[in-house]
Amino acid sequence: SSEVLEAIENVVQGVFQSLAQKKAPVLTVANRTDWRNIEFKDSVGLQMIPGCTRKQIRSDCPQSARRFALMLKILSMIYKMVQSNTYATKRDIYYSDTLLFGSQSVVDQIINDISCMLKIPRRSLHVLSTTKGFVAGNLCYTEEDGTKVNCTCSATAVTVPSNVQGIKNLTSHAKFILIVEKDATFQRLLDDDFFSKVSPCIMITGRGVPDLNTRLLVRKLWDSFQIPIFSLMDADPHGVEIMCVYKYGSVSMSFEAHHLTVPSVKWLGLLPSDLKRLNICKDALIPFTKQDENKLASILKRPYIASQPLWKRELEIMAASKLKAEIQVLTSLSSDFLSRVYLPNKLQFGGWL
């Protein structure tokens, strides 16, 4: 915490020095969303390059003066929280003055900018993100406040903890971890008692694009148990992108890649080649939209796809057919095909990429 306080004090000191010299104060932040500032490294995923381009948030410029003020406001809130050892969610910060901030996304972006500018992970700033992910299966752990959590005996899933860094005493006999894209598929596998039938495993879902806590938990499970991690996604560009966020990280959070990415994630399904192999009826597939085409074209150009020829081949199958499929398409074969046939066979015979 002293490191965080010192980092904030240095920023404020810079503002004072500018004022003392009759200059307009400026905050400098990295261009987090520019692909030119990102490099791909096999062992880490997408990470920010050391000499990345930066942008200035000036206090004397009409376009950025408001953002400058909001950054100082949130810095002061973080400073108070770290001093008093209290925490707040990004939502709490927004609702502390909705008129001032204007929207939740403004708060979210500023907090990420501050985290990147100070080179301090967001959770060390005492800002928690609201959790939407679920975890179930062969896993027990103790939360920071001493609460013991047992995911094994629960017929319903457990919410991913809001302070993943604080959990300890993780124990599991799981043979693998299964990341499931969608809540509906996750619940279906839960109902079918999948995590205890095939072999003990841990299932986790970010319910779509994963939030920070879900990504942190996947990383923590990998660090703790070093067991295979498989992903089960829709056979569409959106599903592939979500899987890439778990495996390689996102551009906007590349400055935190070392804590968030899990390069060992394998693509278990639904593979575009599976659709032909399983004789899925064409009528059950969904035609591409223009947005799907653009998304797939952009994924194919990303630096990490070149290092994954088997993934590239699957994406080219998808691009050629211009058809996509949800995991639910497997119910056209039988209602429990996913948990009874598809996943057990894939896991047993190595049907992942």
Side-chain angles (χ1 to χ4, degrees):
S1 61
S2 58
E3 188 191 329
V4 180
L5 296 175
E6 192 183 330
I8 296 173
E9 285 160 9
N10 288 340
V11 171
V12 177
Q13 201 174 1
V15 171
F16 283 149
Q17 280 169 347
S18 299
L19 291 170
Q21 293 162 7
K22 304 264 189 298
K23 291 179 186 167
V26 171
L27 296 174
T28 307
V29 295
N31 264 334
R32 289 186 298 113
T33 52
D34 191 337
W35 272 96
R36 287 171 299 186
N37 283 335
I38 310 297
E39 65 179 355
F40 169 63
K41 201 172 170 191
D42 256 347
S43 58
V44 180
L46 299 176
Q47 62 177 14
M48 198 169 263
I49 59 173
C52 65
T53 60
R54 299 177 178 278
K55 57 183 177 186
Q56 290 194 328
I57 299 168
R58 302 188 62 85
S59 58
D60 61 347
C61 165
Q63 284 84 16
S64 63
R66 178 180 153 72
R67 194 169 185 87
F68 178 90
L70 292 181
M71 281 188 78
L72 285 187
K73 167 75 176 168
I74 292 178
L75 275 168
S76 78
M77 293 173 84
I78 290 168
Y79 193 85
K80 279 179 194 156
M81 289 192 298
V82 175
Q83 264 190 327
S84 59
N85 197 24
T86 53
Y87 288 81
T89 64
K90 293 183 300 181
R91 211 162 173 69
D92 295 332
I93 290 173
Y94 167 60
Y95 278 110
S96 70
D97 200 332
T98 53
L99 282 176
L100 176 70
F101 294 120
S103 77
Q104 180 71 59
S105 64
V106 167
V107 173
D108 296 355
Q109 283 172 2
I110 287 176
I111 287 166
N112 284 342
D113 277 343
I114 287 173
S115 175
C116 185
M117 177 176 75
L118 301 178
K119 295 189 171 56
I120 288 169
R122 195 165 80 193
R123 50 208 171 276
S124 301
L125 301 175
H126 286 227
V127 179
L128 304 171
S129 45
T130 317
T131 296
K132 60 174 184 150
F134 287 132
V135 60
N138 195 293
L139 175 68
C140 299
Y141 58 84
T142 309
E143 290 200 342
E144 196 177 27
D145 63 1
T147 309
K148 287 185 166 52
V149 178
N150 185 351
C151 307
T152 315
C153 59
S154 182
T156 56
V158 172
T159 309
V160 167
S162 58
N163 186 358
V164 174
Q165 294 308 102
I167 67 173
K168 49 190 184 292
N169 306 332
L170 286 87
T171 57
S172 175
H173 301 295
K175 297 284 182 278
F176 62 90
I177 295 162
L178 182 67
I179 300 170
V180 183
E181 177 187 349
K182 280 186 178 156
D183 194 23
T185 310
F186 182 85
Q187 296 297 340
R188 178 68 214 228
L189 290 171
L190 208 57
D191 293 343
D192 290 350
D193 201 20
F194 173 76
F195 64 78
S196 58
K197 271 184 184 163
V198 180
S199 68
C201 73
I202 299 166
M203 295 196 313
I204 191 162
T205 180
R207 298 163 77 193
V209 179
D211 59 278
L212 195 69
N213 292 328
T214 305
R215 290 175 62 191
L216 282 168
L217 183 60
V218 172
R219 174 68 198 223
K220 188 160 188 120
L221 293 172
W222 184 59
D223 285 339
S224 302
F225 304 122
Q226 295 287 315
I227 51 178
I229 301 186
F230 302 112
S231 59
L232 179 64
M233 308 279 151
D234 288 342
D236 66 9
H238 188 61
V240 173
E241 174 138 83
I242 288 171
M243 174 171 59
C244 290
V245 168
Y246 283 107
K247 186 176 175 75
Y248 298 120
S250 58
V251 173
S252 63
M253 292 298 286
S254 58
F255 64 95
E256 269 216 60
H258 289 271
H259 307 291
L260 291 171
T261 58
V262 184
S264 65
V265 169
K266 299 279 185 274
W267 187 4
L268 187 68
L270 190 61
L271 302 177
S273 59
D274 288 340
L275 303 173
K276 191 174 180 185
R277 185 173 60 82
L278 296 169
N279 283 325
I280 302 283
C281 172
K282 272 263 172 78
D283 298 343
L285 305 177
I286 308 160
F288 261 26
T289 61
K290 189 79 191 121
Q291 200 181 0
D292 290 324
E293 285 183 42
N294 295 341
K295 169 89 73 187
L296 187 55
S298 102
I299 291 171
L300 277 163
K301 285 185 196 139
R302 289 186 194 167
Y304 44 68
I305 295 300
S307 70
Q308 290 282 3
L310 296 176
W311 282 31
K312 192 175 182 194
R313 198 175 70 200
E314 292 292 334
L315 299 183
E316 284 164 351
I317 291 171
M318 200 191 293
S321 73
K322 291 195 175 176
L323 293 168
K324 57 184 181 177
E326 297 186 326
I327 298 162
Q328 281 80 354
V329 78
L330 297 176
T331 56
S332 65
L333 301 172
S334 77
S335 63
D336 59 351
F337 189 83
L338 175 67
S339 59
R340 187 177 53 83
V341 181
Y342 182 81
L343 288 176
N345 281 351
K346 282 238 161 188
L347 291 161
Q348 188 178 348
F349 300 114
W352 58 80
L353 305 178

